[in-house]
Amino acid sequence: MAGARSTRASAAVDRLKRRTGVTSYSMARTGDGLFFLSEKPGAPPLCAPLELDEFVAFVNGLGPQEVKRVSKHDVEFEKQLVRKKP
C-alpha cells in the first residue's frame, strides 16, 4: 500500500509543478512514512513532516489554483437541482 501512498503524494506535487511552472519542487519521505516538500532536493523543507492526507492538502493549497471550467449546461443543471430540493 506504500506505493499507492507515494503515488498520491507525488501526483499532488506534479500538479503543483504544473500550476506554478516551478519544476524543482521535491517530495521526500521520512523513515516513519511522513511526507515533506522542498523547493529543490536538499533545500530546507517547506513544511513539517505530514501524514499523507495532510501533505496532499498542503501541496494542493500552494500556488495558483486551477479554475474549474463550468459550461452553461452545468449552470442550468445546478439551478434545476436547487429548485428540486424540498
Side-chain angles (χ1 to χ4, degrees):
M1 194 70 182
R5 291 171 44 87
S6 293
T7 300
R8 187 166 159 228
S10 61
V13 175
D14 288 340
R15 288 190 303 273
L16 175 63
K17 290 177 181 181
R18 281 194 304 274
R19 286 195 316 269
T20 62
V22 178
T23 59
S24 61
Y25 280 115
S26 177
M27 173 194 79
R29 284 184 70 183
T30 64
D32 53 355
L34 301 177
F35 297 87
F36 63 91
L37 181 72
S38 300
E39 288 183 351
K40 61 183 179 183
L46 298 173
C47 62
L50 301 168
E51 293 285 340
L52 176 65
D53 290 338
E54 294 170 325
F55 177 79
V56 171
F58 172 77
V59 173
N60 286 344
L62 293 176
Q65 300 300 302
E66 293 180 0
V67 178
K68 183 180 175 187
R69 295 182 58 156
V70 180
S71 73
K72 62 182 179 184
H73 298 292
D74 293 331
V75 172
E76 289 302 317
F77 181 70
E78 288 294 325
K79 286 180 183 176
Q80 287 180 359
L81 288 177
V82 171
R83 277 189 240 135
K84 289 183 180 181
K85 289 184 181 178

